[in-house]
Amino acid sequence: MTEQDDEGARRMAANDTDMPGFERFEYVGEGRFELVVNHAGTLEADRGVGFPNTRGGLRNDNYLRLERLDDGTIEISSPEIPAQNLAQHEELPFEPVGTVRITPAPTDRVLDHNADRAPAMLDRAYVWNVDS
């Protein structure tokens, strides 16, 4: 990355640290960020939430969407990436990678998942490894 890219990444992290649920958003260098989003609450019927909730609600630019379906099931999904964003992704000088961790409450029952790692003895999180 150029020095200009590096500075732009620092500014982006500094500007977005106050978004809802953001506990930490820090540029750690070499095109890498550490992002921790934490949100707890009750998901009401006919309402959804997106993370990092950059535009509110279930807009397509959120990384994750949580939605309560008519049968009471909660669906966690990631929207399709628009073609323009995919083209921008291809031009990045690095490959985006990371993990997504979702920890349901002890009383929640998971019916189905496609996580790369299901909960272990001491860690109740479902973990997805995100790469290009």
Side-chain angles (χ1 to χ4, degrees):
M1 291 182 63
T2 68
E3 199 171 303
Q4 185 178 5
D5 293 334
D6 219 41
E7 183 55 36
R10 272 192 188 77
R11 277 195 311 275
M12 182 179 76
N15 289 340
D16 293 344
T17 56
D18 62 347
M19 286 201 291
F22 274 40
E23 285 187 358
R24 182 175 182 186
F25 188 24
E26 181 180 347
Y27 180 65
V28 295
E30 297 179 7
R32 297 177 304 141
F33 294 87
E34 184 165 327
L35 172 62
V36 176
V37 179
N38 190 1
H39 183 76
T42 302
L43 190 59
E44 302 295 330
D46 299 326
R47 301 221 31 210
V49 64
F51 293 98
N53 199 14
T54 55
R55 306 286 187 271
L58 290 175
R59 303 235 348 193
N60 287 334
D61 56 354
N62 289 307
Y63 302 130
L64 291 176
R65 291 187 286 195
L66 281 76
E67 195 169 7
R68 181 179 292 275
L69 304 179
D70 290 340
D71 66 0
T73 301
I74 296 174
E75 181 177 82
I76 302 169
S77 63
S78 180
E80 275 192 51
I81 300 172
Q84 177 184 352
N85 294 36
L86 280 175
Q88 290 171 344
H89 166 77
E90 295 298 324
E91 295 174 13
L92 292 175
F94 54 87
E95 291 291 321
V97 296
T99 58
V100 173
R101 297 172 50 88
I102 296 179
T103 306
T107 56
D108 292 340
R109 187 175 63 138
V110 175
L111 304 177
D112 191 23
H113 69 86
N114 65 352
D116 295 318
R117 193 193 86 199
M121 287 285 280
L122 300 175
D123 183 4
R124 295 186 341 261
Y126 289 81
V127 178
W128 290 262
N129 296 312
V130 179
D131 59 29
S132 320

